[in-house]
Amino acid sequence: MSEEIKIIELKELDNALDLLMDFNREIKIYKTEEEMKQTSEKFLKLGNPIGIVQDGKLIAYFNLYCNNYETLEAYFGNLYVLKEYRKQGLAKKLVYYSFDFAKEKGFKKVMLNVAKDNVPAIKLYEGCGFEYTGESKIMGDEDTHIMCKII
């Protein structure tokens, strides 16, 4: 029988980098092992990486940046759920967790960018209360929607 899923702050784990690296290998978004390691280390150092773990395996993950104390805007990014765990409400759990996490730290707003053609993600974010606030090219040449949620 599988262990219950748990939402955890990855920085609290001694094996956080290993979990992130294993997760990133599975989702295959990085071109090289070195790029993957540098990005994972950056998330652990500068962000607030949050994950869902089951049986010692990271199955869903996002990074929240709670570091803009001038505007009190947190930035939500890099939400991934492993394919075999999708359609179970895990992404929604992570989004709502981000609201509570940012609010506890004194933030008033959560911002994100999402590719304009990523309809499932846009629907998820809208369903969690995010609203469209504009467009950007933050993800390279790809047009993105900027979305915001007041918390």
Side-chain angles (χ1 to χ4, degrees):
M1 188 158 87
S2 285
E3 173 185 310
E4 188 176 325
I5 64 166
K6 294 186 284 191
I7 297 178
I8 55 157
E9 294 175 41
L10 294 179
K11 286 183 177 183
E12 294 178 358
L13 301 176
D14 292 336
N15 66 337
L17 182 59
D18 293 333
L19 282 174
L20 264 179
M21 295 286 287
D22 289 345
F23 185 83
N24 286 322
R25 280 185 198 97
E26 198 156 337
I27 62 173
K28 299 177 179 149
I29 62 167
Y30 296 103
K31 294 177 183 153
T32 67
E33 192 80 9
E34 185 58 30
E35 177 188 14
M36 180 174 40
K37 184 176 183 198
Q38 287 176 352
T39 303
S40 297
E41 287 172 338
K42 179 183 116 180
F43 288 163
L44 287 167
K45 181 179 180 185
L46 301 175
N48 303 97
I50 309 291
I52 295 180
V53 175
Q54 183 178 38
D55 297 327
K57 179 180 180 178
L58 188 61
I59 61 171
Y61 161 80
F62 78 95
N63 200 25
L64 187 65
Y65 292 93
C66 292
N67 52 15
N68 190 340
Y69 290 97
E70 289 179 25
T71 65
L72 297 178
E73 293 175 354
Y75 184 78
F76 181 98
N78 307 95
L79 173 63
Y80 297 101
V81 178
L82 296 181
K83 281 185 182 179
E84 62 268 28
Y85 295 94
R86 292 182 183 163
K87 306 285 186 206
Q88 297 178 31
L90 300 179
K92 189 175 273 193
K93 283 182 183 189
L94 287 175
V95 172
Y96 284 115
Y97 187 93
S98 76
F99 299 158
D100 294 338
F101 186 92
K103 200 173 197 174
E104 282 178 23
K105 298 209 174 292
F107 286 78
K108 305 292 182 198
K109 190 185 291 187
V110 178
M111 305 289 295
L112 62 83
N113 286 67
V114 60
K116 283 172 65 172
D117 62 353
N118 191 345
V119 176
I122 291 169
K123 286 183 178 185
L124 166 72
Y125 297 135
E126 287 174 340
C128 293
F130 279 92
E131 295 180 2
Y132 171 84
T133 60
E135 294 190 16
S136 171
K137 287 195 181 282
I138 196 167
M139 298 163 89
D141 292 332
E142 188 177 7
D143 288 330
T144 65
H145 286 316
I146 301 168
M147 300 183 82
C148 170
K149 165 73 175 157
I150 306 297
I151 51 174

